[in-house]
Amino acid sequence: MSERDNLRQRDHGTNGSSLHEVAIVGAGAAGIGCAAALKEFGVDDIVTLDRHEVGASFRRWPQEMRFITPSFTSNAFGLLDLNSIVPGTSPAYSLDREHPSGGAYAQYLEFVVQHYELDVETGVDVGSLTTEDDGTFTLTTNNGSVRARHVIWAAGEFQYPERHSFTGSEWCCHSADVGTWRELEGDRFTVIGGYESAADAAVSLVQLQKNVTVLARTPTWKTDDPDPSISLSPYTRERLAWAHTTGHVNLVDGVDITSVRENGDGWIVEASDGREWASETRPILATGFKGSLGHLDGLIEYDEAGDPVVTEEADESTLAPGLFLAGPMVTHRGVNFCFIYKFRQRFAIVADAIAQRLGMDTTEAVEARREAGLYLDDLSCCVETCAC
């Protein structure tokens, strides 16, 4: 038995909970991806916690929503499926579809959990995270405390919608609360927002032969930036262009919404320049998510843009050593790693840092991940350009 195993057996807190080497918060793409990477790097004492189930955020997408990044079985040619989170897998092959639904992608995550034999505890809601004097962490949950030497925060964003964007936003229906667009009654809808969720709402409603007005601050459908974090993806542009040809969607940009108020049986949406739009149905709020980092008050610092500050070497908190971030909240040098094909390249960076601190030789694991295109440590290349 190794010294680490001896330590694991005898190291208990006053509440009887054992001290894990790694605790991961969130069993979505980032959480499961990091757990699998840790396994590849030789770290076995990992517990992954989720307040719902594996892939919970994906399971709660509207039924009509699909991945904007295409899946394709190109692994045999050394090209990883854009939506894969571990080497040698392809959601396109596993799920037999190019643009998976949220529910289908959750099935892919379940496949990964089973293959790597990951310890995932569901129904565990993490309320707070605190640091101890010895440098370890305690996670307070609805099922008692969990202690760990290292914590990877991968709780994501989708389950934390931004509901208070302006005065009267409580009158709106957030797009994250829609199980299926078929459940909304009415023939005319107003969508507030200009990015992917707003465009997806508009297209889904037009497919149901509804009339839609989209009110956006930025004309993302006109922006030619190749980064889908800034402009709409080609998949969404194509679908939105189709919706526009039907005559059922009106795209209005340059709109800064300041309030929504009730008006008889309807609602009035008002912009900062005084323009108003009447909506006979509850306006749909598609202005994004605030994320889960509010649970980490005092443990994460933020830059002037409001982005979390982490080390470039390991995506580690600069205030709480041993606390790592994984997922769409990660940013570096102004580049947002908000899509799976971006943030998955940092899973092994985190796993490598933790494994090395546990005294493991990570040389072979690093090389394997690097060959698979899943080890991004040169951030100078994180600029998306397109000459054509």
Side-chain angles (χ1 to χ4, degrees):
M1 182 178 290
S2 69
E3 177 60 27
R4 192 170 73 251
D5 290 331
N6 280 323
L7 180 62
R8 187 185 306 163
Q9 282 197 346
R10 67 173 182 263
D11 199 347
H12 293 273
T14 57
N15 61 2
S17 61
S18 61
L19 180 64
H20 295 282
E21 287 174 352
V22 186
I24 301 175
V25 180
I32 299 303
C34 283
L38 285 164
K39 282 268 191 169
E40 291 180 10
F41 276 72
V43 181
D44 294 318
D45 185 14
I46 313 159
V47 59
T48 302
L49 312 173
D50 198 285
R51 63 178 178 175
H52 296 300
E53 62 279 296
V54 172
S57 292
F58 296 104
R59 297 180 195 274
R60 284 158 179 75
W61 280 8
Q63 292 180 15
E64 297 83 359
M65 184 177 285
R66 297 293 183 268
F67 268 67
I68 62 173
T69 44
S71 285
F72 200 79
T73 53
S74 53
N75 299 55
F77 296 89
L79 301 174
L80 194 63
D81 188 314
L82 281 179
N83 298 315
S84 298
I85 59 170
V86 294
T89 68
S90 170
Y93 180 79
S94 303
L95 306 174
D96 197 25
R97 63 200 69 187
E98 183 176 357
H99 291 275
S101 66
Y105 192 76
Q107 294 177 24
Y108 164 72
L109 296 180
E110 289 275 14
F111 297 154
V112 176
V113 170
Q114 295 167 13
H115 177 76
Y116 283 85
E117 298 181 344
L118 302 178
D119 178 13
V120 180
E121 297 186 10
T122 58
V124 179
D125 191 1
V126 176
S128 64
L129 174 66
T130 56
T131 56
E132 306 299 336
D133 293 339
D134 61 358
T136 61
F137 297 89
T138 297
L139 298 98
T140 303
T141 81
N142 63 325
N143 196 31
S145 298
V146 176
R147 301 174 60 237
R149 302 182 193 282
H150 309 90
V151 171
I152 300 176
W153 193 266
E157 296 185 341
F158 186 80
Q159 295 185 49
Y160 304 88
E162 178 55 72
R163 304 181 186 279
H164 306 290
S165 304
F166 44 76
T167 301
S169 56
E170 65 272 13
W171 291 115
C172 301
C173 168
H174 199 284
S175 59
D177 295 329
V178 177
T180 171
W181 295 104
R182 295 189 301 273
E183 70 189 18
L184 301 188
E185 297 181 357
D187 296 316
R188 296 182 179 277
F189 293 85
T190 303
V191 176
I192 300 173
Y195 286 90
E196 294 293 341
S197 58
D200 185 76
V203 171
S204 297
L205 288 167
V206 170
Q207 287 175 333
L208 295 172
Q209 299 184 333
K210 310 293 185 180
N211 291 288
V212 185
T213 297
V214 177
L215 305 177
R217 181 182 290 115
T218 304
T220 53
W221 49 87
K222 299 178 183 177
T223 306
D224 58 2
D225 195 295
D227 186 352
S229 302
I230 298 173
S231 61
L232 295 180
S233 67
Y235 175 67
T236 302
R237 286 173 182 264
E238 180 181 12
R239 296 168 66 229
L240 193 59
W242 166 82
H244 195 263
T245 64
T246 67
H248 289 292
V249 63
N250 180 28
L251 304 175
V252 185
D253 60 76
V255 179
D256 180 21
I257 302 301
T258 56
S259 69
V260 170
R261 66 180 188 273
E262 197 174 21
N263 182 43
D265 294 333
W267 292 265
I268 299 294
V269 181
E270 184 175 5
S272 58
D273 58 8
R275 285 182 293 171
E276 293 185 345
W277 291 265
S279 181
E280 64 184 47
T281 55
R282 290 178 63 193
I284 297 167
L285 194 62
T287 52
F289 305 85
K290 60 182 179 180
S292 61
L293 295 182
H295 291 76
L296 303 181
D297 286 345
L299 300 178
I300 296 289
E301 66 175 316
Y302 298 86
D303 61 21
E304 294 180 353
D307 295 322
V309 177
V310 292
T311 63
E312 286 195 0
E313 296 77 16
D315 295 346
E316 186 174 14
S317 167
T318 55
L319 300 181
L323 171 61
F324 301 84
L325 298 187
M329 71 285 288
V330 174
T331 61
H332 281 295
R333 303 181 186 180
V335 177
N336 194 325
F337 283 65
C338 61
F339 286 103
I340 290 173
Y341 74 88
K342 296 181 180 182
F343 65 68
R344 69 181 181 184
Q345 299 182 80
R346 301 293 292 180
F347 297 161
I349 301 293
V350 173
D352 188 19
I354 293 174
Q356 287 194 46
R357 293 177 194 183
L358 294 174
M360 299 176 180
D361 182 357
T362 64
T363 305
E364 291 186 7
V366 167
E367 184 59 28
R369 279 277 170 154
R370 198 186 296 278
E371 288 182 2
L374 291 174
Y375 195 96
L376 177 63
D377 56 350
D378 179 8
L379 297 174
S380 65
C381 68
C382 296
V383 177
E384 298 196 44
T385 59
C386 183
C388 57

